[in-house]
Amino acid sequence: MQVATTGSSLREFLRKSGGPRVLVPTMGAFHPGHLSLMQRAREIAGTQGSVIVSIFVNPIQFDRPNDLAAYPRPIDSDLAACEANGVDFVFTPSPEAMYLPDRSITVTENLLSRNLCGATRPGHFDGVCTVVLKLFLISACDVAIFGEKDFQQLAVIRRMVRDLDVPVEIFSSPTVREPDGLAMSSRNARLSPEHRADAPRIYQALTRAAGLTSPADILSGARAAIECSPLARIDYLSLVDAETLQLASTLRRPSVLAAAVFYDDVRLIDHVAIPVDFPS
Ligand code: AMP
């Protein structure tokens, strides 16, 4: 495994590699969810292709300075996890290597990124699109893999690739959960023991509400189940169309019930699919 800290050194390493090149963009602090993406990348790349993992805590996608400062960065164990999971190349640039002080171009998606995390985290998806496009260009990857856990991010990136004719095929991989249902996240390590014990209520609330039969019941059911904890504070709870991510007022099309919940300053996201309610 080779580790590059600049785009030019990564390109030099990749010069002699065969295809396909499969990229897994991450911010590090690996858990089994990340490892599942690396394993999927290895399957897609096969023995001839290359798996590239980027580890970059992207400052321009953080809206809260404390969240950026507190984001875990266990680089030694992350590199060991990459090695153990068949990764060929790791790209770990510094913020200075990625962003010039007078940079003046940003990628903006204007529809799918408006609701949910985009509404409560101003500029977040501009930061995501900009860094992901840069990583695609630096690595010249053929394929990139993203987790379904961040389903809005996945939808926004698919839209960017479609609208800008980016020659990268996007694969997705299912959410990996703790045994109690909590979606694995690098931020879970920052929960206090009391908050960690309470946090599975998010997924439970979403899955139970998904069985209700009207948008109003689904939203009020999920809200009540989360808000009955004095520890949890809802950032947003929304029912959106699964394709357009616009607010859904009926169940006639596939939709998604999505939530972001704060435990102190730790913000967790999760979502469930809501089945279509066909009129009988
Ligand atoms: P992050 O390091 O949080 O930016 O995540 C890097 C990639 O891992 C993104 O594509 C995420 O969607 C994905 N990911 C994060 N958590 C999980 C999880 N629990 N299951 C599957 N994929 C995940």
Side-chain angles (χ1 to χ4, degrees), residues 143-201:
V143 173
I145 308 188
F146 294 86
E148 287 162 16
K149 174 181 174 262
D150 299 279
F151 89 102
Q152 187 177 20
Q153 167 172 283
L154 179 61
V156 168
I157 286 164
R158 285 194 198 281
R159 180 59 64 98
M160 174 179 81
V161 163
R162 188 197 80 173
D163 285 2
L164 298 183
D165 298 304
V166 181
V168 175
E169 193 176 354
I170 305 299
F171 280 62
S172 70
S173 200
T175 302
V176 178
R177 297 182 179 279
E178 300 286 357
D180 59 15
L182 178 66
M184 288 192 176
S185 163
S186 308
R187 291 185 173 90
N188 292 354
R190 291 182 47 221
L191 295 167
S192 69
E194 201 188 6
H195 291 171
R196 172 63 189 83
D198 196 71
R201 79 169 50 251

